[in-house]
Amino acid sequence: MSSDETVPEIAPFTAPGHDWSLDEILSLYRQPLNDLLYRAHTVHRRCFDPNRIQLSTLINIKSGGCPEDCAYCPQSVRYKTGVDSEALMSCEQVLAEARRAKASGASRFCMGAAWRGPKDRDIDRVAEMISGVRDLGLETCVTLGMLKPGQAEQLKSAGLDYYNHNLDTSESFYSSIISTRTYQERLDTLQRVRDAGINVCCGGIIGMGESAEDRAALLQTLACLPRQPESVPINTLVKVAGTPLEGEEDADPIELVRTVACARILMPRAYVRLSAGRTEMSDSTQALCFHAGANSIFYGEKLLTTENPQFSRDQSLFERLGLVADRDKTSGEVLPAQKT
């Protein structure tokens, strides 16, 4: 029996309404890699220009001191990782970083704060940053932890385009990684963001000791949300000394490619972003991920507290692959030239 007979056919423009089962996603994930890449790239080419990459820059506007126990995170107060707790940056400092990011080619500016959740006074200060970044002509994204009722609406009023709040992994594996907040609490924040009319940025991490079934279950949760995320970051674990996962075995790069390809098939209109872990990826792995449907990266020399590839390395890779930065700030719009 051929792989086409064992894997459900996918209509690229109806996939978001599909109620994916775990078995269906595992069938996609486990099919021969060439078949999976063919399917994923076909969907990608129908929904996006395959040679354009959206560039986002992420900065840490408040470092360290987080009370959560996420096993991968160097900013947790529970682990000795050498990351100091720092106060919230000033608006002027943030805008200076945003100008630098725009000059380097980024179209979206993401601001992260190491909080369990922001206080109302924090929201007021972050709102000022959001407004200032928007005035520079950049899309805005923040990741601030869990939101209380009313806070998402304040961020929306300031002009926030995206809120990032990752699920990290499957619900069944989640308790092996985090105990200080529940999976449902994460889903509740996503719903508050969606109800406020803000785009959702939500993905996960591979390489934390999870199984293929866990990766499939994470993708199932994302793909079957009432409205799929507009942005889906796929991270690979960055092993930081002092965290519980510092000795975790490296993830197989092919498993990353499979995860990206399935994300593209299941969520065809989302930007699928190669996020943490790119410093350790070979150029060949990244090229395969772009072919599989990744069309966004974090661009800059720092990713919160961990290293990110140098601008020059990314620029060289894009030139060799014939990729160009997407400055149009579209969000999953089907390009007329790509329709079939």
Side-chain angles (χ1 to χ4, degrees):
M1 182 177 290
S2 72
S3 60
D4 281 348
E5 293 175 306
T6 61
V7 178
E9 281 299 323
I10 297 150
F13 298 110
T14 59
H18 190 89
D19 186 16
W20 292 95
S21 72
L22 186 59
D23 285 343
E24 285 179 310
I25 297 173
L26 281 170
S27 293
L28 287 173
Y29 188 93
R30 289 170 170 162
Q31 67 183 305
L33 184 63
N34 283 337
D35 293 341
L36 178 59
L37 288 175
Y38 174 79
R39 289 171 179 268
H41 188 73
T42 298
V43 172
H44 183 49
R45 187 170 282 271
R46 286 174 174 165
C47 294
F48 289 95
D49 183 331
N51 298 311
R52 298 183 75 86
I53 298 290
Q54 187 272 327
L55 305 181
S56 295
T57 293
L58 172 64
I59 70 161
N60 217 358
I61 60 173
K62 190 273 174 190
S63 301
C66 181
E68 305 275 21
D69 67 352
C70 306
Y72 52 80
C73 185
Q75 300 199 74
S76 172
V77 73
R78 299 163 186 258
Y79 314 132
K80 294 181 179 179
T81 62
V83 175
D84 295 326
S85 181
E86 297 179 0
L88 187 65
M89 291 173 65
S90 70
C91 187
E92 291 76 15
Q93 289 174 303
V94 171
L95 294 182
E97 293 292 335
R99 292 187 190 96
R100 189 174 298 114
K102 183 178 181 180
S104 297
S107 62
R108 186 179 305 166
F109 190 71
C110 306
M111 296 162 274
W115 289 319
R116 174 176 170 81
K119 298 179 174 62
D120 289 339
R121 66 173 181 271
D122 300 322
I123 291 287
D124 292 338
R125 294 183 63 188
V126 173
E128 182 184 3
M129 298 173 188
I130 292 168
S131 297
V133 172
R134 278 291 295 263
D135 288 344
L136 296 175
L138 290 165
E139 288 183 324
T140 57
C141 177
V142 298
T143 176
L144 312 174
M146 294 186 294
L147 296 179
K148 296 183 294 188
Q151 290 183 329
E153 287 76 10
Q154 289 177 265
L155 297 173
K156 174 66 174 178
S157 295
L160 183 64
D161 295 302
Y162 288 82
Y163 193 89
N164 168 252
H165 198 63
N166 289 334
L167 293 176
D168 290 343
T169 189
S170 69
E171 186 169 10
S172 62
F173 190 67
Y174 181 85
S175 61
S176 300
I177 304 299
I178 303 157
S179 70
T180 49
R181 80 173 82 170
T182 67
Y183 210 73
Q184 186 58 51
E185 284 176 314
R186 289 183 182 254
L187 291 170
D188 289 345
T189 286
L190 292 178
Q191 190 59 55
R192 290 188 177 114
V193 168
R194 186 62 83 193
D195 289 346
I198 300 170
N199 292 318
V200 167
C201 176
C202 184
I205 307 170
I206 74 165
M208 299 190 294
E210 79 287 345
S211 65
E213 287 80 4
D214 289 313
R215 295 176 199 135
L218 168 65
L219 293 172
Q220 180 190 32
T221 299
L222 295 172
C224 294
L225 288 170
R227 180 176 167 186
Q228 293 184 342
E230 284 78 14
S231 184
V232 180
I234 305 295
N235 302 272
T236 55
L237 176 67
V238 177
K239 293 177 284 187
V240 179
T243 63
L245 295 180
E246 65 174 308
E248 194 62 47
E249 184 177 345
D250 289 345
D252 182 348
I254 298 301
E255 298 304 298
L256 169 65
V257 175
R258 288 184 177 278
T259 303
V260 168
C262 287
R264 171 52 65 214
I265 293 168
L266 301 174
M267 294 167 279
R269 295 176 180 84
Y271 276 100
V272 177
R273 179 180 302 122
L274 284 186
S275 297
R278 282 202 308 118
T279 300
E280 289 75 30
M281 290 179 204
S282 69
D283 289 350
S284 298
T285 295
Q286 293 188 69
L288 269 178
C289 287
F290 294 140
H291 184 75
N295 61 341
S296 176
I297 63 167
F298 273 126
Y299 188 66
E301 297 173 5
K302 205 77 171 174
L303 201 59
L304 295 181
T305 62
T306 57
E307 297 300 317
N308 205 43
Q310 298 281 325
F311 287 119
S312 58
R313 177 186 167 189
D314 284 333
Q315 291 166 351
S316 173
L317 179 60
F318 290 171
E319 183 175 349
R320 288 157 58 207
L321 298 179
L323 301 176
V324 296
D326 184 357
R327 294 175 179 270
D328 295 334
K329 301 202 302 185
T330 54
S331 181
E333 293 298 320
V334 178
L335 300 171
Q338 301 297 328
K339 288 182 179 178
T340 60

